[in-house]
Amino acid sequence: MAEPKVKYDRQLRIWGEQGQAALEKSSICLLNCGPTGSETLKNLVLGGIGSITVVDGSKVEVGDLGNNFLVDESSVGQSKAKCVSSFLQELNDSVKAKFVEEYPEALIETNPSFFSQFTLVIATQLVESSMIKLDRICREANVILIFARSYGLTGFVRISLKEHTVIESKPEHFLDDLRLNNPWLELKSFADSIDLTVQDPVAHKHIPYVVILVKMADEWAKSHGGKLPSTREQKKEFKDLLKARMVSQDEDNYKEAIEASFKVFAPRGISLDLQRILNDSSSEVDSNSSYFWVLVAALKEFIANEGGGEAPLEGSIPDMTSSTEQYINLQNIYLAKAEADFLVMEQLVRSILKKIGRDSNSIPKATIRSFCKNARKLRVCRYRSIEDEFNSPNIPELQRYLTDEDSSIAVGIYILLRAVDRFAANYNSFPGQFDSATDEDMPRLKSAAISLLSDLGCNGAALAEDLINEMCRFGAAELHAVAALVGGIASQEVIKLITRQFVPMSGTYIFNGIDHKSQLLSL
Amino acid sequence: MAETAATQPSRSRDLDKLLLRPGNLVGPRFEPSAQLRDDVQNHARVLVVGAGGLGCELLKDLALSGFHNLDVIDMDRIEVTNLNRQFLFRVEDVGKPKAEVAAKRVMERISGVNIVPHFCRIEDKDIDFYNDFMIIALGLDSVEARSYINNVACSFLEYDSDDNPLEETIKPMVDGGTEGFKGHARVILPGVTPCFECTIWLFPPQVKFPLCTLAETPRTAAHCIEYAHLIKWNEAHGGTAFDPDNPQHMKWVYDEAAKRAELFGIPGVTYSFTQGVVKNIIPAIASTNAIISAACTLETLKIATECSKTMSNYLTYNGSEGLHTKVAEFERDKDCLVCGPGVLIEVDTSVTLQKFMNLLEEHPKLQLTKASITHRGKNLYMQAPPVLEEMTRSNLSLPLFELMGKLSKDVIHVNGMTNKNNQKVSCLRKLRVTFKGVDGVTDMDTAGGA
């Protein structure tokens, strides 16, 4: 259907048809549809998510009219879940919207299997104890879980799942794969066929820099025992040799060569990040392994054998000053090598699949191709369980955050958000929730925070009084602007998780709306 | 028997906690009270510039943050490609003015909010229009538009004799921008924080392909497309301007680009890519717009109420690889032509307005042509409309000193055309005119001459 595609044009340019298809296939569950949850879901509905189920047991109050766009005058007294889901339905009629009028805590307690039907659960405004229980349930059922919370001018977002692998990480800045420091036979032959000393000035300034650098690097290596420039003096000398070849000042190709010469000096082979992935125990595959790890196992073999220490060639080249003909020829040489590497990888993948007792065609060609193109940029994200983090956070990291000026407010917020839940467990309301009690609540919150910190083996004095005071002032208010911001971040993470493109955040994102010095905490 | 505010369920249940309660991490002049909340609701006027991806979110966020008197200005009509994020619009609204539909939708859902839409260009409004607002929130997608509003807001700024900004003339702006997973939000307090012009270097120049690449050695699909768009179109269509919104024009460019690509053996020319290159389409999604608008709204609330610390002063955001936010504190350019105390121009008392205008053309920092000049709100000379031009024409032969009420020095504002990146753009400049040989006393006729 032409129409839906046009509507999504601006986002298709980011995640493409496959990403969109993944979104349209998924089903999301939202717990609590106050502004935080509603805003998160609104962004996903606009983007064409497949289906949504809104879970909330509360009724719409007058106060909700002041912070939630998805309820209006006529909704007061009605089920909030019902009102929110029907407005969301209006926003995009290709999304299937449902609601369940139940408190999420009740579902967590009495009906954990409810969650298994979803691709992903967005849990908003849950307290610590519910977070831990839900996390266990979702890990068991292999459902992606993301927490989001707004509290006054603060908030947080935290993804929770055992492992998320990314092939199409699409990093903004990533070095191209030109192999100037390690050219293969066909590239070398092509470079050999071109004469840098050509007389015609037009031809001279249209030789692509790739050719210039391959030839110059080769010349250098021949007179330096096979090695490429490594010391500072050598690198400078190499650049000077390039400069000496220029016959006039307007030779952009030589200028590009000089600028790109660092690509010749770069070490061969694969990055530490990729090495870490290859060394991961999951790369020892068996019949239960995900297709990602099967591909990694094939990659490991490729690098050790046919690849000669290198990953499959990515295959594309950046634009550069060149005659059209030479550029196209160069492009084809890179495409041909990438294709050859892909064919080798394909065989490796099929044979590994056979070895582990799976159908050798179970990984599509297109996936293997994409994996080859993105091999240098693979990412594996792992998340600690909430229980583990809460019971045994990384103490050295925690202490570092507490003493670092840039992160002390953010980590203070992290601790206090947990402390308010402990407070609520004791006193049945949040500190400062009612005007009358604010004065007594401050010392109570302080002692809850200090005892939490000391449980974790840290000094309670590290928490700023002003911040504790501020948390009391907030009184668990859910402010629209904060909810919209936290919800925006949560929805963006959901998109990355479901499309499996780009890299989801790691750790806990603490939103600091006081001075906007928000932080990612890895505990 | 009256019910007290405490027992009556309040819409501002959550906002009240922020505005009615004292705190320590707040602005220096924070006065928590119901009065503050009511003042914001009843008296604070905020202008939202743009009713697109950011504008829709801004209107909602501001309305739900206690601002009930909003104006929104946008010259565009709704298109289908807006619907993936501009949530105030439905399929049936395609073709209608964005500002009008946005205002209507928000007022429908949030009672008590009044939003006045303006379906026009930002340049169509009198400069005084912008002065009516307490804060201006920008949800724009172009450098030029931002520059214009920045010029206008900064034109209200006045300095005292020690070159300190006069507080009551500071017009705060909150500016947001997004592109894919990236965005920024910044607070501009003219005279205090850097204005848009002070930090213009933050915006990288647009990619322009060298002519010889397009004409002789194309290598990429984009080269083929821009050749068809920028060179071949004029060759084939003489006087007709290329209209990117005309599907037939776009198809022509696509066909030509495809032909050229085939000729040179270059892959990658698709209709979608052609549109992207020609229209400079910026990919956009709901989530980034939501994040940036919310950050802008929070800062607007803080400026209006001092209920918390303000962002100082430029937030950058990137959500594509993990999540990165950073707040940088940029500094003003003291010599900024826009928010600075103004370009100092010294002239003789005998200089006529016409001669003065010639000086502006030659002045190295200004190079301003087609100048229209105002002094303290009075039109000294207007280039347009013809009626005003005729009325003010006689001023051209009068001495500027007299036209300016014989003040020894004062600020004037000049609207005109200047050169930027080889393009003629309209601009507004603040000038500090000082008359040579006149001391501070204005009632002396015999000004001590040279």
Side-chain angles (χ1 to χ4, degrees):
Chain A
M1 275 182 266
E3 215 238 69
K5 287 217 171 120
V6 178
K7 173 162 78 166
Y8 297 134
D9 179 83
R10 299 301 187 260
Q11 66 196 39
L12 286 171
R13 288 171 192 271
I14 297 177
W15 54 70
E17 301 279 354
Q18 281 193 309
Q20 188 64 33
L23 288 170
E24 289 173 10
K25 269 207 299 265
S26 50
S27 80
I28 309 271
C29 174
L30 171 69
L31 301 182
N32 288 321
C33 58
T36 309
S38 298
E39 289 293 314
T40 308
L41 216 49
K42 152 188 142 278
N43 299 332
L44 294 169
V45 163
L46 285 169
I49 205 87
S51 74
I52 59 168
T53 301
V54 181
V55 178
D56 192 316
S58 63
K59 303 276 188 210
V60 178
E61 293 173 19
V62 169
D64 297 331
L65 299 179
N67 73 1
N68 195 342
F69 191 75
L70 277 61
V71 300
D72 63 6
E73 297 275 341
S74 62
S75 336
V76 176
Q78 293 189 43
S79 151
K80 204 187 290 177
K82 174 161 176 267
C83 299
V84 167
S85 83
S86 78
F87 180 83
L88 287 172
Q89 184 71 88
E90 270 178 47
L91 273 187
N92 190 341
D93 50 24
S94 35
V95 174
K96 294 196 215 24
K98 287 208 296 263
F99 72 94
V100 173
E101 191 178 349
E102 277 253 38
Y103 286 100
E105 290 77 9
L107 271 179
I108 292 170
E109 282 305 319
T110 63
N111 190 7
S113 59
F114 170 79
F115 299 100
S116 338
Q117 57 180 297
F118 302 105
T119 318
L120 185 149
V121 173
I122 302 170
T124 67
Q125 309 301 91
L126 288 186
V127 297
E128 209 176 298
S129 49
S130 307
M131 284 174 66
I132 293 174
K133 290 190 191 130
L134 181 61
D135 191 39
R136 271 191 223 126
I137 295 169
C138 289
R139 291 236 167 180
E140 210 25 75
N142 228 356
V143 172
I144 309 173
L145 179 53
I146 181 167
F147 294 102
R149 189 166 178 188
S150 306
Y151 196 101
L153 288 176
T154 70
F156 77 83
V157 179
R158 161 69 146 93
I159 296 171
S160 186
L161 75 156
K162 210 152 69 177
E163 179 180 279
H164 177 81
T165 58
V166 186
I167 296 173
E168 286 182 276
S169 61
K170 298 185 172 177
E172 239 189 309
H173 304 291
F174 203 91
L175 200 54
D176 39 45
D177 197 11
L178 293 177
R179 305 284 169 91
L180 300 178
N181 53 7
N182 194 4
W184 61 97
L185 184 62
E186 286 79 3
L187 179 58
K188 266 206 279 247
S189 311
F190 179 70
D192 285 342
S193 74
I194 294 171
D195 180 9
L196 288 184
T197 63
V198 65
Q199 288 302 311
D200 172 23
V202 173
H204 192 268
K205 68 182 197 178
H206 280 96
I207 297 172
Y209 80 74
V210 164
V211 169
I212 297 174
L213 287 175
V214 167
K215 292 177 82 76
M216 298 293 289
D218 188 47
E219 224 180 84
W220 177 283
K222 285 201 172 94
S223 57
H224 288 79
K227 294 223 179 58
L228 290 172
S230 56
T231 68
R232 210 146 139 238
E233 297 77 35
Q234 287 179 327
K235 292 176 188 179
K236 178 159 190 315
E237 203 189 317
F238 185 82
K239 287 193 196 175
D240 288 339
L241 285 170
L242 285 170
K243 273 194 206 120
R245 293 248 172 192
M246 290 174 76
V247 302
S248 80
Q249 276 319 297
D250 72 339
E251 298 203 294
D252 285 338
N253 58 339
Y254 274 91
K255 290 187 194 151
E256 288 164 15
I258 294 166
E259 247 185 73
S261 52
F262 72 93
K263 299 179 190 179
V264 171
F265 313 148
R268 294 177 173 179
I270 62 176
S271 69
L272 277 168
D273 283 337
L274 182 55
Q275 192 63 63
R276 235 175 266 134
I277 293 177
L278 297 177
N279 292 341
D280 195 289
S281 56
S282 300
S283 66
E284 313 286 327
V285 291
D286 58 35
S287 57
N288 289 323
S289 297
S290 69
Y291 71 85
F292 177 85
W293 289 108
V294 170
L295 289 162
V296 169
L299 179 63
K300 209 167 167 181
E301 267 189 55
F302 178 93
I303 292 172
N305 302 313
E306 293 90 340
E310 303 271 8
L313 186 71
E314 196 264 346
S316 68
I317 61 174
D319 189 26
M320 61 189 78
T321 300
S322 168
S323 68
T324 305
E325 194 188 329
Q326 285 180 333
Y327 184 81
I328 304 286
N329 285 340
L330 201 57
Q331 224 174 18
N332 288 335
I333 289 172
Y334 277 81
L335 285 170
K337 163 100 171 113
E339 180 69 11
D341 285 353
F342 156 73
L343 290 171
V344 172
M345 275 289 288
E346 195 187 3
Q347 287 316 305
L348 288 171
V349 169
R350 304 226 182 285
S351 83
I352 290 175
L353 282 169
K354 256 208 288 255
K355 240 187 277 181
I356 60 175
R358 298 243 288 266
D359 174 3
S360 65
N361 288 319
S362 55
I363 299 182
K365 255 186 155 78
T367 307
I368 303 175
R369 260 222 170 90
S370 170
F371 186 86
C372 287
K373 266 189 94 74
N374 289 287
R376 298 169 310 142
K377 311 173 188 175
L378 305 175
R379 298 290 283 259
V380 177
C381 304
R382 292 192 174 125
Y383 301 87
R384 294 189 75 191
S385 76
I386 299 295
E387 187 162 19
D388 280 349
E389 180 183 313
F390 282 4
N391 292 341
S392 38
N394 184 330
I395 305 287
E397 277 294 283
L398 184 56
Q399 277 167 337
R400 192 174 64 81
Y401 290 133
L402 282 165
T403 50
D404 183 335
E405 201 193 291
D406 274 339
S407 56
S408 58
I409 292 194
V411 76
I413 291 170
Y414 174 87
I415 295 294
L416 285 164
L417 284 173
R418 290 181 55 187
V420 299
D421 287 346
R422 293 195 171 192
F423 180 108
N426 275 335
Y427 301 100
N428 280 326
S429 69
F430 289 99
Q433 193 170 348
F434 302 107
D435 285 335
S436 46
T438 333
D439 284 336
E440 295 148 12
D441 288 350
M442 163 67 186
R444 286 175 181 165
L445 177 59
K446 184 170 175 185
S447 81
I450 290 177
S451 90
L452 172 56
L453 272 172
S454 82
D455 284 351
L456 300 175
C458 290
N459 187 357
L463 271 188
E465 284 274 324
D466 282 346
L467 191 57
I468 302 176
N469 197 287
E470 197 66 353
M471 287 304 261
C472 270
R473 178 165 92 110
F474 294 153
E478 211 176 333
L479 298 169
H480 181 82
V482 176
L485 201 152
V486 168
I489 290 176
S491 59
Q492 166 198 279
E493 295 305 308
V494 169
I495 288 172
K496 290 191 273 183
L497 289 164
I498 292 182
T499 58
R500 299 200 92 98
Q501 296 179 28
F502 303 97
V503 185
M505 72 163 80
S506 58
T508 303
Y509 177 73
I510 297 291
F511 172 65
N512 169 4
I514 297 168
D515 57 13
H516 276 288
K517 294 201 173 144
S518 304
Q519 278 280 338
L520 267 174
L521 303 176
S522 296
L523 294 164
Chain B
M1 190 174 67
E3 278 188 283
T4 62
T7 53
Q8 185 84 280
S10 162
R11 262 166 222 266
S12 63
R13 166 197 70 198
D14 294 77
L15 208 51
D16 279 354
K17 299 213 164 80
L18 202 60
L19 299 181
L20 272 57
R21 293 178 171 186
N24 298 342
L25 293 174
V26 296
R29 283 172 297 187
F30 181 49
E31 281 170 26
S33 59
Q35 184 69 55
L36 176 62
R37 175 202 61 210
D38 293 343
D39 280 347
V40 170
Q41 190 172 298
N42 302 327
H43 302 300
R45 286 187 69 194
V46 177
L47 173 66
V48 174
V49 185
L54 287 166
C56 286
E57 294 281 341
L58 280 168
L59 285 172
K60 159 182 72 74
D61 293 346
L62 288 166
L64 288 174
S65 298
F67 293 95
H68 283 198
N69 293 289
L70 305 170
D71 284 50
V72 60
I73 179 169
D74 193 312
M75 64 182 184
D76 285 334
R77 290 178 183 273
I78 299 163
E79 294 173 22
V80 174
T81 54
N82 299 149
L83 302 178
N84 78 325
R85 63 204 183 280
Q86 298 173 26
F87 66 96
L88 297 174
F89 312 140
R90 307 277 174 271
V91 160
E92 313 81 71
D93 298 322
V94 171
K96 297 186 195 156
K98 286 188 179 183
E100 290 170 13
V101 178
K104 178 160 157 277
R105 273 288 144 59
V106 176
M107 287 194 284
E108 269 168 12
R109 294 199 67 81
I110 307 176
S111 67
V113 168
N114 188 40
I115 308 182
V116 180
H118 304 269
F119 173 44
C120 62
R121 295 163 62 239
I122 52 181
E123 294 91 347
D124 293 340
K125 290 291 189 197
D126 264 342
I127 291 177
D128 284 328
F129 165 78
Y130 294 98
N131 212 1
D132 285 341
F133 301 98
M134 183 195 214
I135 298 165
I136 300 177
L138 309 182
L140 293 165
D141 59 2
S142 82
V143 167
E144 295 74 30
R146 284 189 177 89
S147 212
Y148 183 82
I149 299 282
N150 183 66
N151 280 0
V152 171
C154 292
S155 74
F156 302 131
L157 182 65
E158 285 173 28
Y159 285 83
D160 64 19
S161 48
D162 292 322
D163 277 355
N164 292 320
L166 292 174
E167 215 193 307
E168 60 278 11
T169 65
I170 297 176
K171 182 73 60 190
M173 285 175 282
V174 181
D175 169 59
T178 66
E179 181 173 338
F181 284 111
K182 297 196 289 196
H184 79 266
R186 66 190 296 189
V187 171
I188 299 179
L189 300 170
V192 179
T193 69
C195 78
F196 185 72
E197 206 70 22
C198 294
T199 51
I200 195 93
W201 46 266
L202 279 170
F203 289 86
Q206 270 232 293
V207 172
K208 279 209 160 16
F209 300 123
L211 218 53
C212 54
T213 302
L214 297 186
E216 279 142 48
T217 56
R219 299 174 295 268
T220 65
H223 295 157
C224 299
I225 293 165
E226 288 292 66
Y227 175 80
H229 167 219
L230 300 171
I231 298 176
K232 199 82 198 282
W233 175 272
N234 287 327
E235 276 174 24
H237 292 88
T240 322
F242 173 76
D243 178 7
D245 292 320
N246 182 328
Q248 276 154 344
H249 288 199
M250 188 63 75
K251 176 130 199 335
W252 187 93
V253 167
Y254 163 67
D255 286 338
E256 283 302 314
K259 267 192 259 173
R260 187 171 177 78
E262 198 178 353
L263 186 64
F264 283 90
I266 296 170
V269 173
T270 63
Y271 189 76
S272 166
F273 190 61
T274 303
Q275 279 185 311
V277 170
V278 172
K279 286 171 126 172
N280 195 27
I281 292 180
I282 297 174
I285 47 181
S287 48
T288 318
N289 282 328
I291 294 164
I292 295 298
S293 305
C296 288
T297 300
L298 271 175
E299 292 310 306
T300 306
L301 181 61
K302 291 179 194 181
I303 292 171
T305 62
E306 303 227 8
C307 64
S308 184
K309 305 260 176 222
T310 42
M311 174 209 299
S312 187
N313 50 52
Y314 195 108
L315 171 80
T316 45
Y317 173 84
N318 193 337
S320 61
E321 205 175 330
L323 189 51
H324 296 283
T325 55
K326 181 161 181 20
V327 178
E329 186 164 5
F330 289 116
E331 280 186 9
R332 280 185 61 218
D333 173 7
K334 297 244 164 48
D335 295 323
C336 179
L337 279 180
V338 179
C339 74
V343 178
L344 186 60
I345 305 203
E346 265 200 304
V347 288
D348 282 328
T349 52
S350 57
V351 161
T352 61
L353 183 55
Q354 178 67 71
K355 180 107 197 285
F356 181 74
M357 282 165 62
N358 296 341
L359 283 171
L360 295 182
E361 275 192 44
E362 291 155 12
H363 193 292
K365 274 190 177 162
L366 295 170
Q367 297 184 327
L368 211 71
T369 56
K370 291 213 171 42
S372 294
I373 306 184
T374 57
H375 172 242
R376 294 185 175 227
K378 200 178 85 179
N379 293 332
L380 297 191
Y381 179 68
M382 288 282 124
Q383 298 272 346
V387 161
L388 269 182
E389 197 281 321
E390 221 183 291
M391 272 171 62
T392 53
R393 204 184 298 161
S394 52
N395 287 341
L396 291 173
S397 53
L398 296 177
L400 181 62
F401 181 60
E402 277 182 36
L403 290 168
M404 283 174 65
K406 296 195 180 170
L407 296 167
S408 61
K409 61 177 180 179
D410 205 5
V411 168
I412 62 172
H413 291 109
V414 185
N415 219 321
M417 299 297 283
T418 191
N419 258 320
K420 209 171 195 172
N421 300 330
N422 290 324
Q423 267 190 311
K424 277 233 169 312
V425 291
S426 76
C427 72
L428 178 58
R429 289 282 184 262
K430 184 193 304 181
L431 306 178
R432 259 189 313 173
V433 180
T434 304
F435 292 99
K436 290 189 217 166
V438 180
D439 58 25
V441 185
T442 55
D443 57 9
M444 279 172 68
D445 237 355
T446 48

